[in-house]
Amino acid sequence: MATNPLIEIRNGRVGKATSLRALKLNPYPSKSARTHYAKAILDDFAAQEGKTVTVAGRLMSWRKQGALAFGHVQDQTGRIQLFMRRNLVQPTNPETGGLGYAEFNLLDMGDIVEATGKVIKTERGEISILLDTMRLLTKAIRPLPDQWSGLKDREQVLRKRYLDTTLERPPFERFAAISKMISAIRGFLIGRGFLEFNTPAIQPQYGGGTAKPFKTHVNALGCEMYLAISHELYLKRLIVAGYDKVFTIGRYFRNEGVDRSHHPEFSMVETMAAYENYEYNMNLIEDMFRHIATTVFGKTEFKVGTHTVDFSKPWLRISMADVVLEKTGVDFRTLSSVQEANDKLTALGIHELQPSIGEAMVKAFEEKVEKELIQPTLVFGHPIEISPLAKPMAHDPRYVERFEIFIAGMECGDNWSEQNDPVTLLETWRKSYKAEERDAGKFHTLDFDFIEALEFGMPPTTGIGPGIERMAMIFTEQENIDDVIFFPLMKPALSHMNASIYGIHEPSLAPVEDLALSSDEFESLCRDGALKPHDKNLTVKPHLRLWTVAGQPRLSGHVEIEGFLANSVLRLAGCKINANAALPEEELKKAVAASLELSLVVFLKKTFPACHLTLSPPTLMKNG
RNA sequence: GCCUCGGUAGCUCAGUUGGUUAGAGCAGUUGACUCUUAAUCAAUUGGUCGAAGGUUCGAAUCCUUCCCGGGGCACCA
């Protein structure tokens, strides 16, 4: 039945594994005897020449030429050439696992191999390993994509990143660099006296902002919880606990839109430092970025889109009111009414009315200023209206001790001096709670447990949260967040090919919504209008199961309706099927179809006259 | 959620205005070859054209719906 090329290749390779086992060679042994990485040999040929080494990695090429062959093995550090001479290769040996010359046809491109031999240079001058023993470490039963062109299909790159990094060096290096960047952040903060803590990703309340959370259910506790949209309230509890400088590299989950700079699951390094205010963090963040740039990437200039961002110079620090004045000519500090502020906005071409002077200034900032902040800039002094968790400035309480980081027109982190007056905070929260209660659907629960912690006294504290992905985008010069997240969020998909290889007959995938109803429930939900088709084309697929109980045939079954749910099938149990299980198969199928035609199909046609209905012939499964 | 572009062999891509049996390169298979490196040469296998429906004598091509992805907008830090 293997008519498909992939299936043929796969079967062929599985067959080679079987042949190897027949020769007492394990195609999946447990350990390698690697002595060198490719790069170590290539970088130090003078010292390695003539020595016997063992390398291990993926076999990326194999060029046979009579009694000679050349190949390349790719490991984490790079590729090194193998040079095979028929007369120098050890014969097949189950003791060492070595493959003799005759068995080399059981190797395939993409296999993980181990090669032992002397380090030499070929006539053409390439540093190579003159093969003595070749061992198979892992049989690959799927072929790699074309190595010359690489994986071009964006969807495949995102779904099968491991292939992209196998075939292409830049993405491989990029993700390694991002890992080093995170280590550097840790190292930097620990060097400044910070302690790293884990904070919960499953939280009973979702504090911080108005982001929509992911909801989940904790079976053991029998309650609903949320995936973290923020970790700051936990870090502040750590400050209450007596640790002065803490941080977490946290996972954040926001059930919102996806675009080139937003991903539903992302990470931030969030810090809290007690006995300091926001000015401390201005220095901290500037130093951190410079530290990463120089130690991980070895430079201070990075190309972001068409701009070049320079981290070597001191960052511009400017108040929001000043930068808005500079870019728009409007000084919002001098305005005395909301009306006046909105008139100024209108004059700037912004027509959405704002409820306060502060919010009007923020609107002007977002619309007219933000995108122009290319070089690293710290904008401080946000209006108090939009900063409920921050402390007001001593000299002008309309503004708060807060700053945001802008690089290449992108917001890269937020910071403020934390409000630690529990009474004021509770009042602020209550106010926003009421405001949002009026605004249907944006309901917030309050974290009274946190308020209680504050009541025991939290020292003056300041925190900062730069986004890891956005830092990675800047430092690795990527414009798409998917290119700094190894496993970006994708809808589950099962190819027809894999469905057939793995024997899955109904590729209904991990269902986004799965629903199984009794026939009666289904009909009543449809009548109430609670359940409606998602598609105009409905397909009714009966599935029958024939049982033999004590020699007597029994019939049971369910019906699947495609087109009702967006990404899944609706299953109906208990449909009225009038058929004699003892009938021959073909007649039985006809009887079932006829029976459904009279009940379910009639019902669907009557209830959803706009839909086109197809009744598939019943599928018969036999058991016992 | 809206707009827009795309999905053809395992991979990378052609496929004209709707017209014979959908093509190529790589990979695969078989064979030749003692310094190759996108090795070369010869032969050869391989397709639910994303899915379903429709229009038509005839559909990869036109229409409808759906699925998956990219880009943009909106929402949102």
Side-chain angles (χ1 to χ4, degrees):
Chain A
M1 288 296 282
T3 54
N4 177 279
L6 177 65
I7 293 175
E8 273 178 21
I9 290 168
R10 192 170 172 278
N11 288 346
R13 290 184 172 205
V14 170
K16 288 177 184 177
T18 307
S19 304
L20 286 161
R21 287 195 179 98
L23 293 165
K24 300 223 165 24
L25 294 166
N26 181 1
Y28 299 96
S30 75
K31 192 177 186 303
S32 164
R34 164 153 66 192
T35 61
H36 288 72
Y37 279 107
K39 193 168 187 295
I41 298 165
L42 298 175
D43 285 355
D44 195 19
F45 176 69
Q48 301 297 337
E49 187 175 13
K51 287 190 183 157
T52 297
V53 296
T54 299
V55 297
R58 201 179 283 280
L59 187 64
M60 297 305 283
S61 68
W62 190 249
R63 299 177 294 280
K64 253 190 85 177
Q65 196 172 328
L68 292 185
F70 297 89
H72 277 97
V73 168
Q74 172 174 294
D75 66 25
Q76 178 173 267
T77 66
R79 290 186 182 191
I80 190 161
Q81 181 167 267
L82 305 180
F83 178 34
M84 188 279 296
R85 301 187 90 109
R86 180 166 55 192
N87 55 325
L88 296 181
V89 175
Q90 299 298 320
T92 294
N93 182 350
E95 292 295 310
T96 61
L99 272 72
Y101 174 80
E103 269 63 65
F104 281 2
N105 63 343
L106 297 177
L107 291 176
D108 286 292
M109 219 72 84
D111 284 353
I112 310 293
V113 298
E114 179 189 279
T116 303
K118 276 199 175 66
V119 176
I120 57 149
K121 225 176 225 182
T122 58
E123 282 176 21
R124 295 289 173 95
E126 180 162 349
I127 297 167
S128 307
I129 292 168
L130 182 60
L131 209 58
D132 179 69
T133 310
M134 175 89 109
R135 228 180 122 210
L136 178 65
L137 294 180
T138 301
K139 187 76 203 155
I141 62 173
R142 284 208 188 217
L144 290 173
D146 187 295
Q147 284 185 54
W148 188 242
S149 56
L151 210 52
K152 286 277 161 53
D153 182 347
R154 179 76 177 154
E155 184 173 351
Q156 293 308 312
V157 169
L158 298 180
R159 285 190 191 278
K160 303 195 174 99
R161 183 85 70 181
Y162 52 89
L163 290 180
D164 194 40
T165 52
T166 298
L167 264 23
E168 306 278 353
R169 206 61 194 168
F172 182 89
E173 301 287 1
R174 184 169 74 236
F175 286 108
I178 293 168
S179 174
K180 286 175 192 153
M181 181 188 89
I182 295 169
S183 297
I185 293 170
R186 282 208 165 87
F188 174 83
L189 288 173
I190 289 166
R192 295 278 176 121
F194 282 81
L195 295 176
E196 181 174 5
F197 283 85
N198 279 341
T199 45
I202 299 173
Q203 305 181 353
Q205 277 99 16
Y206 53 103
T210 54
K212 293 189 198 78
F214 287 92
K215 211 173 178 179
T216 189
H217 182 81
V218 181
N219 288 343
L221 305 183
C223 64
E224 301 297 305
M225 292 229 180
Y226 303 94
L227 298 189
I229 62 169
S230 168
H231 291 265
E232 60 175 285
L233 299 185
Y234 291 92
L235 290 168
K236 289 179 200 169
R237 286 173 171 94
L238 286 163
I239 298 294
V240 172
Y243 305 102
D244 284 355
K245 289 178 178 173
V246 298
F247 76 100
T248 191
I249 295 183
R251 317 283 308 149
Y252 294 72
F253 307 89
R254 298 191 178 177
N255 212 342
E256 282 158 10
V258 180
D259 63 34
R260 289 212 288 177
S261 57
H262 293 82
H263 193 262
E265 178 179 358
F266 62 102
S267 17
M268 283 204 282
V269 48
E270 201 159 353
T271 72
M272 284 290 161
Y275 306 99
E276 300 286 358
N277 74 358
Y278 73 114
E279 287 166 323
Y280 168 87
N281 273 341
M282 286 187 164
N283 297 326
L284 185 76
I285 196 69
E286 205 178 314
D287 290 349
M288 185 198 282
F289 271 68
R290 196 174 294 115
H291 173 81
I292 294 166
T294 53
T295 61
V296 180
F297 298 92
K299 56 180 182 176
T300 55
E301 288 190 2
F302 297 85
K303 285 203 182 71
V304 182
T306 52
H307 305 288
T308 299
V309 173
D310 187 353
F311 289 109
S312 64
K313 297 169 191 151
W315 294 11
L316 179 65
R317 300 179 183 192
I318 188 166
S319 79
M320 187 179 282
D322 281 335
V323 76
V324 169
L325 171 62
E326 186 182 299
K327 302 278 183 187
T328 68
V330 180
D331 190 345
F332 281 86
R333 280 168 299 204
T334 63
L335 306 182
S336 52
S337 74
V338 180
Q339 177 63 44
E340 208 181 339
N342 275 318
D343 289 348
K344 293 287 184 189
L345 278 188
T346 309
L348 292 171
I350 301 165
H351 301 287
E352 295 145 79
L353 292 183
Q354 300 299 316
S356 68
I357 299 171
E359 278 152 289
M361 182 174 91
V362 171
K363 191 75 189 168
F365 175 79
E366 285 172 354
E367 296 289 328
K368 298 291 174 188
V369 181
E370 203 175 301
K371 285 184 190 68
E372 294 184 31
L373 301 176
I374 304 305
Q375 294 309 318
T377 302
L378 303 174
V379 176
F380 62 89
H382 293 57
I384 194 159
E385 293 92 329
I386 64 156
S387 314
L389 295 175
K391 276 192 180 175
M393 296 244 179
H395 67 276
D396 188 346
R398 292 178 297 169
Y399 304 101
V400 296
E401 293 195 357
R402 173 181 179 186
F403 71 83
E404 285 181 299
I405 307 156
F406 292 93
I407 301 170
M410 191 161 64
E411 195 234 300
C412 289
D414 201 351
N415 165 97
W416 52 77
S417 302
E418 304 292 344
Q419 179 54 268
N420 60 345
D421 173 349
V423 175
T424 305
L425 186 64
L426 186 58
E427 234 169 75
T428 311
W429 273 8
R430 283 237 162 94
K431 257 188 249 166
S432 71
Y433 169 82
K434 277 178 192 160
E436 293 189 1
E437 196 181 33
R438 272 180 252 121
D439 189 358
K442 282 194 172 180
F443 184 80
H444 253 250
T445 43
L446 300 186
D447 194 341
F448 293 110
D449 182 69
F450 170 70
I451 295 281
E452 183 185 347
L454 271 198
E455 291 188 2
F456 287 100
M458 180 180 80
T461 296
T462 185
I464 190 160
I468 300 275
E469 286 79 8
R470 289 189 179 177
M471 288 170 81
M473 285 169 74
I474 291 163
F475 286 125
T476 64
E477 306 184 327
Q478 296 299 311
E479 291 176 50
N480 197 318
I481 199 164
D482 284 346
D483 286 320
V484 298
I485 296 177
F486 201 100
F487 304 106
L489 191 69
M490 302 284 277
K491 273 210 177 188
L494 177 67
S495 66
H496 293 285
M497 187 65 66
N498 281 354
S500 117
I501 289 173
Y502 301 131
I504 301 158
H505 300 297
E506 290 158 36
S508 55
L509 314 178
V512 172
E513 281 178 79
D514 203 358
L515 199 52
L517 292 173
S518 78
S519 185
D520 291 342
E521 271 179 302
F522 172 71
E523 294 192 5
S524 91
L525 284 170
C526 287
R527 275 193 210 99
D528 297 347
L531 202 53
K532 284 178 195 158
H534 177 261
D535 189 349
K536 278 180 193 160
N537 299 310
L538 296 180
T539 310
V540 175
K541 293 187 172 175
H543 290 251
L544 305 175
R545 198 169 279 270
L546 260 185
W547 306 77
T548 311
V549 181
Q552 292 298 309
R554 298 274 180 89
L555 181 68
S556 65
H558 68 277
V559 171
E560 294 184 351
I561 308 180
E562 289 179 6
F564 247 87
L565 303 177
N567 207 22
S568 183
V569 291
L570 178 73
R571 287 181 189 79
L572 289 189
C575 285
K576 295 154 197 126
I577 297 174
N578 297 314
N580 182 353
L583 287 170
E585 275 184 28
E586 284 314 306
E587 285 179 43
L588 183 67
K589 285 185 183 177
K590 276 182 201 161
V592 169
S595 162
L596 282 170
E597 192 77 54
L598 286 174
S599 54
L600 184 61
V601 174
V602 167
F603 169 78
L604 287 170
K605 277 185 180 161
K606 208 195 307 171
T607 318
F608 307 109
C611 289
H612 181 265
L613 254 159
T614 314
L615 178 63
S616 299
T619 314
L620 200 60
M621 293 171 287
K622 285 186 222 170
N623 272 51

